[in-house]
Amino acid sequence: AEAVLQQILDTGVPVTDVEFRGTTPAAPGVERVWMEQWLPLRDGAGQVIGVHVVAQEVTAERAAAAERERLLADTEAARREADLERRRLLTLLDRLPSAVTLAEAPTGRLLVCNAAVARIWGSDTLSDEIAEYSSDYVGFYPAGHPRAGERYASEEWPLARALAHGETITDEVVEIARPDGTRRVVSISAAPVTDADGQIVSAVVSSLDITERAQLLTAERTAREAAALEQQRLAAVLAAMPTGVIVADAPSGRLVYL
């Protein structure tokens, strides 16, 4: 303060916005902040004869500014941590063979998906709501299902049912049509994610390409049906023969038809 005072007395130049911190007898343990303006006092001849000080307390403003800076720093730190966790999650998900997608509730907006989604489905469109599921992704009930060949409506997808009704779906087989016209068979599982109060906040869905397995199962089923049909035909022919016929396995000799 003495240095500022002497400077003004020597130069006549005011010193403004000087921040001063200290305590008062009324609250000796509490630091307070003042913003001061130091102005020269002149006599009639213009000579500096003293200094006039105007002080305004800004303790509350400084505290509010410090709190604001702290909150901004905490928010930025939380944002960076969330971004880091998101990158970690995506890195982990991209290593999975299954296509994985996370959606928010109740809208059904798709938040994030891994690289396998585009590989399996031929698209990684992030739908904005459940109603868009059937336009962004095309799926049909598979052979053997009572509704075989019917297209999935938006609300029928496993992810939509998990979001809307809290269903947990495991290995639901769906035949999908990709944008390039090819078809695949996928096994889909979905489950809701709830908060501490049991409210659905999001849902996760995973799908695995089982096309080759489904083709093998279909071929096996077709072969079994063909073998059964041939056996029925053979039995009918043998039954119609006027003479008795014995058919045995080799080399065991087990009788298979008498």
Side-chain angles (χ1 to χ4, degrees):
E2 291 182 2
V4 175
L5 174 61
Q6 190 60 51
Q7 176 184 335
I8 297 175
L9 291 175
D10 292 341
T11 65
V13 177
V15 177
T16 59
D17 297 332
V18 177
E19 185 176 292
F20 175 75
R21 294 174 178 267
T23 60
T24 64
V30 179
E31 183 182 65
R32 300 170 68 177
V33 186
W34 294 267
M35 187 64 72
E36 300 177 344
Q37 317 297 324
W38 293 57
L39 309 172
L41 291 176
R42 302 177 185 275
D43 60 15
Q47 297 297 312
V48 178
I49 58 175
V51 175
H52 178 63
V53 180
V54 178
Q56 179 183 7
E57 185 173 359
V58 293
T59 304
E61 289 83 349
R62 288 293 184 270
E67 178 65 12
R68 184 166 57 252
E69 290 297 323
R70 185 189 68 79
L71 290 174
L72 288 174
D74 289 347
T75 300
E76 178 61 20
R79 187 196 65 77
R80 289 196 300 268
E81 180 64 23
D83 186 60
L84 178 60
E85 288 300 321
R86 178 185 176 87
R87 291 199 301 272
R88 287 173 177 167
L89 175 62
L90 288 176
T91 299
L92 174 63
L93 292 178
D94 283 342
R95 295 179 182 275
L96 299 176
S98 300
V100 180
T101 302
L102 179 68
E104 71 174 7
T107 64
R109 182 169 67 94
L110 304 185
L111 302 175
V112 65
C113 65
N114 67 348
V117 171
R119 186 176 69 251
I120 294 175
W121 292 78
S123 170
D124 57 0
T125 301
L126 295 178
S127 307
D128 288 325
E129 58 182 346
I130 291 177
E132 296 180 359
Y133 288 0
S134 62
S135 58
D136 293 336
Y137 298 93
V138 178
F140 302 91
Y141 287 94
H145 192 280
R147 296 176 59 188
E150 290 186 33
R151 183 170 173 172
Y152 270 74
S154 291
E155 67 276 7
E156 293 175 332
W157 283 101
L159 179 59
R161 285 147 48 199
L163 286 165
H165 310 297
E167 287 187 46
T168 296
I169 298 95
T170 303
D171 296 332
E172 182 166 316
V173 177
V174 180
E175 182 180 354
I176 64 171
R178 303 196 294 188
D180 63 1
T182 59
R183 292 203 174 196
R184 307 294 290 177
V185 179
V186 296
S187 174
I188 301 178
S189 297
V193 178
T194 58
D195 61 16
D197 297 324
Q199 298 299 311
I200 298 174
V201 295
S202 61
V204 63
V205 61
S206 66
S207 54
L208 186 66
D209 190 336
I210 61 168
T211 303
E212 285 72 22
R213 187 174 73 188
Q215 290 172 342
L216 289 174
L217 290 174
T218 299
E220 180 185 7
R221 183 172 61 251
T222 301
R224 286 175 182 248
E225 291 173 351
L229 180 60
E230 287 301 319
Q231 189 174 13
Q232 291 174 4
R233 289 173 177 170
L234 175 60
V237 170
L238 294 177
M241 295 181 67
T243 58
V245 176
I246 297 176
V247 179
D249 259 344
S252 66
R254 183 175 63 90
L255 299 182
V256 295
Y257 184 83
L258 180 61

